[in-house]
mmCIF file of all heavy atoms in Angstrom:
data_model
loop_
_atom_site.group_PDB
_atom_site.id
_atom_site.type_symbol
_atom_site.label_atom_id
_atom_site.label_comp_id
_atom_site.label_asym_id
_atom_site.label_seq_id
_atom_site.Cartn_x
_atom_site.Cartn_y
_atom_site.Cartn_z
ATOM 1 N N HIS S 126 16.771 -1.136 -10.784
ATOM 2 C CA HIS S 126 15.730 -0.131 -10.630
ATOM 3 C C HIS S 126 14.415 -0.646 -11.204
ATOM 4 O O HIS S 126 14.377 -1.598 -11.990
ATOM 5 C CB HIS S 126 16.119 1.180 -11.307
ATOM 6 C CG HIS S 126 16.272 1.076 -12.802
ATOM 7 N ND1 HIS S 126 17.489 0.861 -13.409
ATOM 8 C CD2 HIS S 126 15.357 1.142 -13.806
ATOM 9 C CE1 HIS S 126 17.324 0.803 -14.713
ATOM 10 N NE2 HIS S 126 16.035 0.975 -14.995
ATOM 11 N N GLN S 128 10.707 0.914 -13.003
ATOM 12 C CA GLN S 128 10.113 2.086 -13.622
ATOM 13 C C GLN S 128 8.626 1.866 -13.848
ATOM 14 O O GLN S 128 8.194 0.743 -14.129
ATOM 15 C CB GLN S 128 10.780 2.388 -14.974
ATOM 16 C CG GLN S 128 12.213 2.864 -14.868
ATOM 17 C CD GLN S 128 12.801 3.199 -16.227
ATOM 18 O OE1 GLN S 128 12.499 2.547 -17.229
ATOM 19 N NE2 GLN S 128 13.628 4.228 -16.276
ATOM 20 N N ARG S 130 6.416 2.166 -16.449
ATOM 21 C CA ARG S 130 6.596 2.287 -17.891
ATOM 22 C C ARG S 130 5.621 1.349 -18.587
ATOM 23 O O ARG S 130 5.664 0.135 -18.388
ATOM 24 C CB ARG S 130 8.030 1.911 -18.272
ATOM 25 C CG ARG S 130 8.412 2.244 -19.678
ATOM 26 C CD ARG S 130 9.840 1.811 -19.951
ATOM 27 N NE ARG S 130 9.903 0.422 -20.413
ATOM 28 C CZ ARG S 130 11.036 -0.215 -20.695
ATOM 29 N NH1 ARG S 130 12.192 0.383 -20.499
ATOM 30 N NH2 ARG S 130 11.007 -1.455 -21.136
ATOM 31 N N LEU S 227 4.696 -1.788 -14.330
ATOM 32 C CA LEU S 227 6.059 -1.779 -13.797
ATOM 33 C C LEU S 227 7.017 -2.525 -14.725
ATOM 34 O O LEU S 227 6.700 -3.606 -15.220
ATOM 35 C CB LEU S 227 6.097 -2.430 -12.417
ATOM 36 C CG LEU S 227 5.511 -1.644 -11.251
ATOM 37 C CD1 LEU S 227 5.430 -2.526 -10.012
ATOM 38 C CD2 LEU S 227 6.345 -0.404 -10.957
ATOM 39 N N TRP S 228 8.176 -1.965 -14.919
ATOM 40 C CA TRP S 228 9.271 -2.633 -15.631
ATOM 41 C C TRP S 228 10.472 -2.659 -14.692
ATOM 42 O O TRP S 228 10.871 -1.625 -14.145
ATOM 43 C CB TRP S 228 9.632 -1.905 -16.913
ATOM 44 C CG TRP S 228 10.843 -2.481 -17.594
ATOM 45 C CD1 TRP S 228 12.105 -1.983 -17.602
ATOM 46 C CD2 TRP S 228 10.889 -3.688 -18.368
ATOM 47 N NE1 TRP S 228 12.946 -2.780 -18.329
ATOM 48 C CE2 TRP S 228 12.222 -3.851 -18.816
ATOM 49 C CE3 TRP S 228 9.948 -4.641 -18.728
ATOM 50 C CZ2 TRP S 228 12.635 -4.928 -19.609
ATOM 51 C CZ3 TRP S 228 10.354 -5.712 -19.509
ATOM 52 C CH2 TRP S 228 11.672 -5.846 -19.941
ATOM 53 N N ILE S 229 11.048 -3.850 -14.478
ATOM 54 C CA ILE S 229 12.152 -4.008 -13.529
ATOM 55 C C ILE S 229 13.415 -4.372 -14.286
ATOM 56 O O ILE S 229 13.426 -5.303 -15.100
ATOM 57 C CB ILE S 229 11.834 -5.087 -12.482
ATOM 58 C CG1 ILE S 229 10.538 -4.734 -11.749
ATOM 59 C CG2 ILE S 229 12.974 -5.230 -11.496
ATOM 60 C CD1 ILE S 229 10.092 -5.781 -10.758
ATOM 61 N N ASP S 230 14.479 -3.644 -14.020
ATOM 62 C CA ASP S 230 15.779 -3.866 -14.663
ATOM 63 C C ASP S 230 16.822 -4.052 -13.558
ATOM 64 O O ASP S 230 17.229 -3.102 -12.908
ATOM 65 C CB ASP S 230 16.149 -2.664 -15.532
ATOM 66 C CG ASP S 230 17.434 -2.880 -16.328
ATOM 67 O OD1 ASP S 230 18.209 -3.799 -15.983
ATOM 68 O OD2 ASP S 230 17.664 -2.126 -17.284
ATOM 69 N N MET S 231 17.203 -5.311 -13.318
ATOM 70 C CA MET S 231 18.196 -5.619 -12.301
ATOM 71 C C MET S 231 19.554 -5.809 -12.970
ATOM 72 O O MET S 231 19.776 -6.781 -13.688
ATOM 73 C CB MET S 231 17.806 -6.875 -11.526
ATOM 74 C CG MET S 231 16.473 -6.779 -10.792
ATOM 75 S SD MET S 231 16.337 -5.347 -9.686
ATOM 76 C CE MET S 231 17.715 -5.657 -8.570
ATOM 77 N N ALA S 232 20.466 -4.846 -12.752
ATOM 78 C CA ALA S 232 21.802 -4.942 -13.343
ATOM 79 C C ALA S 232 22.626 -6.012 -12.651
ATOM 80 O O ALA S 232 23.456 -6.678 -13.291
ATOM 81 C CB ALA S 232 22.507 -3.587 -13.250
ATOM 82 N N VAL S 234 22.056 -9.156 -9.675
ATOM 83 C CA VAL S 234 21.246 -9.883 -8.718
ATOM 84 C C VAL S 234 21.874 -11.255 -8.526
ATOM 85 O O VAL S 234 22.335 -11.894 -9.474
ATOM 86 C CB VAL S 234 19.777 -10.003 -9.201
ATOM 87 C CG1 VAL S 234 19.670 -10.782 -10.484
ATOM 88 C CG2 VAL S 234 18.906 -10.605 -8.133
ATOM 89 N N GLN S 250 23.837 -12.147 -11.993
ATOM 90 C CA GLN S 250 23.263 -12.018 -13.325
ATOM 91 C C GLN S 250 22.536 -10.695 -13.465
ATOM 92 O O GLN S 250 22.231 -10.018 -12.477
ATOM 93 C CB GLN S 250 22.292 -13.163 -13.609
ATOM 94 C CG GLN S 250 22.939 -14.530 -13.722
ATOM 95 C CD GLN S 250 21.936 -15.597 -14.123
ATOM 96 O OE1 GLN S 250 20.732 -15.378 -14.110
ATOM 97 N NE2 GLN S 250 22.444 -16.768 -14.494
ATOM 98 N N ALA S 251 22.244 -10.340 -14.719
ATOM 99 C CA ALA S 251 21.380 -9.200 -15.029
ATOM 100 C C ALA S 251 20.056 -9.749 -15.561
ATOM 101 O O ALA S 251 20.059 -10.632 -16.422
ATOM 102 C CB ALA S 251 22.035 -8.296 -16.058
ATOM 103 N N ILE S 252 18.939 -9.260 -15.028
ATOM 104 C CA ILE S 252 17.616 -9.760 -15.404
ATOM 105 C C ILE S 252 16.670 -8.572 -15.598
ATOM 106 O O ILE S 252 16.702 -7.614 -14.834
ATOM 107 C CB ILE S 252 17.028 -10.708 -14.337
ATOM 108 C CG1 ILE S 252 18.033 -11.794 -13.944
ATOM 109 C CG2 ILE S 252 15.745 -11.353 -14.832
ATOM 110 C CD1 ILE S 252 17.543 -12.704 -12.840
ATOM 111 N N GLN S 253 15.833 -8.667 -16.625
ATOM 112 C CA GLN S 253 14.815 -7.646 -16.884
ATOM 113 C C GLN S 253 13.478 -8.324 -17.140
ATOM 114 O O GLN S 253 13.422 -9.356 -17.804
ATOM 115 C CB GLN S 253 15.172 -6.800 -18.113
ATOM 116 C CG GLN S 253 16.459 -6.016 -18.025
ATOM 117 C CD GLN S 253 16.754 -5.286 -19.325
ATOM 118 O OE1 GLN S 253 16.342 -5.713 -20.390
ATOM 119 N NE2 GLN S 253 17.469 -4.178 -19.231
ATOM 120 N N SER S 254 12.412 -7.736 -16.646
ATOM 121 C CA SER S 254 11.059 -8.226 -16.972
ATOM 122 C C SER S 254 10.029 -7.396 -16.220
ATOM 123 O O SER S 254 10.371 -6.546 -15.394
ATOM 124 C CB SER S 254 10.896 -9.708 -16.617
ATOM 125 O OG SER S 254 10.640 -9.881 -15.234
ATOM 126 N N ARG S 255 8.772 -7.683 -16.497
ATOM 127 C CA ARG S 255 7.677 -7.195 -15.671
ATOM 128 C C ARG S 255 7.637 -8.038 -14.396
ATOM 129 O O ARG S 255 8.077 -9.188 -14.401
ATOM 130 C CB ARG S 255 6.343 -7.340 -16.412
ATOM 131 C CG ARG S 255 6.278 -6.603 -17.738
ATOM 132 C CD ARG S 255 6.059 -5.136 -17.555
ATOM 133 N NE ARG S 255 6.212 -4.395 -18.819
ATOM 134 C CZ ARG S 255 6.149 -3.074 -18.902
ATOM 135 N NH1 ARG S 255 5.936 -2.350 -17.804
ATOM 136 N NH2 ARG S 255 6.306 -2.458 -20.050
ATOM 137 N N PRO S 256 7.109 -7.510 -13.279
ATOM 138 C CA PRO S 256 7.016 -8.336 -12.065
ATOM 139 C C PRO S 256 6.064 -9.509 -12.262
ATOM 140 O O PRO S 256 6.346 -10.629 -11.830
ATOM 141 C CB PRO S 256 6.514 -7.360 -10.997
ATOM 142 C CG PRO S 256 5.878 -6.241 -11.752
ATOM 143 C CD PRO S 256 6.636 -6.143 -13.040
ATOM 144 N N GLY S 286 7.208 -12.691 -13.783
ATOM 145 C CA GLY S 286 8.232 -12.444 -14.790
ATOM 146 C C GLY S 286 9.577 -12.995 -14.339
ATOM 147 O O GLY S 286 9.744 -13.457 -13.211
ATOM 148 N N ALA S 287 10.569 -12.929 -15.227
ATOM 149 C CA ALA S 287 11.876 -13.543 -14.965
ATOM 150 C C ALA S 287 12.561 -12.969 -13.734
ATOM 151 O O ALA S 287 13.320 -13.674 -13.059
ATOM 152 C CB ALA S 287 12.786 -13.373 -16.191
ATOM 153 N N VAL S 288 12.304 -11.693 -13.388
ATOM 154 C CA VAL S 288 12.995 -11.076 -12.255
ATOM 155 C C VAL S 288 12.660 -11.756 -10.933
ATOM 156 O O VAL S 288 13.426 -11.670 -9.972
ATOM 157 C CB VAL S 288 12.689 -9.568 -12.152
ATOM 158 C CG1 VAL S 288 13.332 -8.788 -13.271
ATOM 159 C CG2 VAL S 288 11.201 -9.323 -12.104
ATOM 160 N N PHE S 289 11.499 -12.433 -10.877
ATOM 161 C CA PHE S 289 11.140 -13.164 -9.669
ATOM 162 C C PHE S 289 11.094 -14.672 -9.897
ATOM 163 O O PHE S 289 11.314 -15.443 -8.961
ATOM 164 C CB PHE S 289 9.781 -12.683 -9.147
ATOM 165 C CG PHE S 289 9.775 -11.253 -8.704
ATOM 166 C CD1 PHE S 289 8.711 -10.414 -8.998
ATOM 167 C CD2 PHE S 289 10.843 -10.719 -7.993
ATOM 168 C CE1 PHE S 289 8.709 -9.085 -8.600
ATOM 169 C CE2 PHE S 289 10.861 -9.397 -7.591
ATOM 170 C CZ PHE S 289 9.788 -8.580 -7.892
ATOM 171 N N ARG S 291 13.118 -16.671 -11.199
ATOM 172 C CA ARG S 291 14.372 -17.348 -10.929
ATOM 173 C C ARG S 291 14.540 -17.724 -9.459
ATOM 174 O O ARG S 291 15.416 -18.508 -9.108
ATOM 175 C CB ARG S 291 15.562 -16.443 -11.338
ATOM 176 C CG ARG S 291 15.758 -16.287 -12.831
ATOM 177 C CD ARG S 291 16.087 -17.607 -13.503
ATOM 178 N NE ARG S 291 17.218 -18.282 -12.884
ATOM 179 C CZ ARG S 291 18.487 -18.072 -13.228
ATOM 180 N NH1 ARG S 291 18.776 -17.217 -14.207
ATOM 181 N NH2 ARG S 291 19.459 -18.718 -12.636
#
Side-chain angles (χ1 to χ4, degrees):
H126 64 265
Q128 291 182 325
R130 191 181 88 182
L227 287 171
W228 174 257
I229 303 176
D230 185 343
M231 300 306 301
V234 63
Q250 293 185 348
I252 310 176
Q253 299 177 333
S254 81
R255 301 282 171 184
V288 290
F289 296 139
R291 288 297 307 272

